[in-house]
Amino acid sequence: MTMTSNAPSFQPADMLAALQALMPRGRVWPRDPDAVMTQALSGFATPFAQQATRANYLLVDSFPSTTEELLPEWEATLGLPDPCAGAQPTIAARQAQVLARFAGAGGQSPAYFIGYAKNLGYTVTITQFTPFRMGQQTMGCQLGSADWAYTWAINAPLITQIPFRVGQSAMGDALETWGNAVLQCELDEIKPAHTILQFIYH
């Protein structure tokens, strides 16, 4: 696991110094490296340093975009994982789905769906359609029935590459992943029920 927060990192030597600073002064409380008292306090210093490190990891796991150890708990809370991501999704892909669902407060504007896709790791644009109406459309406009008022399209690259990232990806993750299955599944899930969603790849 990679530590990415800016929290202070305490080593056993730091904890030993802190423990010694709490001890009374006097000849029966020596601070010499080879003193029995120092050796006894060193036995406490190491687990204290380990606990401080574990506490720092909680700062990482408290955010969905960086969570690692608590990723299964985040996923369970948000209804993940799902079949869209495949049998062995990468840590980065799982984090992206968690972030998208956690940050998805709901909306029906193009900006909302573009932002949702961005949290999943995709760059998209949206095309909205309208039915052909005499007096509003001009010669050359696409003919369309009333259903086109409820039709919209996601325009995305044919191949969206997600590379392995040092410090974010985990051991065993693929060096590169691609595919639009997650994009389609997620947006199909949250689109307004009365609309028809198309995916156009280029």
Side-chain angles (χ1 to χ4, degrees):
M1 174 176 290
T2 303
M3 188 63 195
T4 57
S5 75
N6 295 321
S9 178
F10 295 106
Q11 302 302 314
D14 301 318
M15 293 297 182
L16 175 60
L19 290 171
Q20 288 178 324
L22 295 174
M23 303 304 293
R25 295 287 179 180
R27 298 179 63 182
V28 297
W29 307 100
R31 270 73 169 173
D32 300 325
D34 58 346
V36 173
M37 181 64 67
T38 301
Q39 295 177 21
L41 292 177
S42 295
F44 294 103
T46 298
F48 285 168
Q50 292 172 341
Q51 290 299 319
T53 300
R54 303 302 303 146
N56 286 343
Y57 281 129
L58 286 177
L59 298 176
V60 175
D61 280 321
S62 64
F63 297 95
S65 60
T66 57
T67 182
E68 292 183 20
E69 286 191 26
L70 296 182
L71 183 55
E73 282 79 0
W74 277 103
E75 289 176 322
T77 301
L78 297 168
L80 293 167
D82 60 30
C84 297
Q88 291 183 314
T90 63
I91 295 295
R94 292 168 63 193
Q95 290 172 336
Q97 273 195 284
V98 165
L99 176 61
R101 291 200 181 185
F102 181 74
Q108 296 187 15
S109 69
Y112 171 74
F113 291 102
I114 290 172
Y116 195 98
K118 184 176 181 180
N119 285 335
L120 287 171
Y122 298 90
T123 300
V124 305
T125 60
I126 290 180
T127 301
Q128 295 177 292
F129 305 98
T130 58
F132 187 91
R133 294 187 175 92
M134 296 296 293
Q136 296 183 9
Q137 268 76 12
T138 59
M139 204 62 161
C141 289
Q142 187 175 9
L143 295 176
S145 65
D147 288 342
W148 284 99
Y150 309 103
T151 303
W152 53 294
I154 294 290
N155 307 294
L158 180 61
I159 298 176
T160 298
Q161 297 175 319
I162 304 174
F164 185 97
R165 293 184 175 89
V166 176
Q168 295 182 4
S169 301
M171 186 69 73
D173 282 354
L175 295 181
E176 191 169 72
T177 57
W178 57 87
N180 298 304
V182 171
L183 175 67
Q184 291 192 199
C185 285
E186 287 286 341
L187 294 188
D188 272 330
E189 184 70 23
I190 65 171
K191 72 178 179 66
H194 66 285
T195 64
I196 302 168
L197 176 58
Q198 298 179 340
F199 291 90
I200 301 174
Y201 299 111
H202 50 81

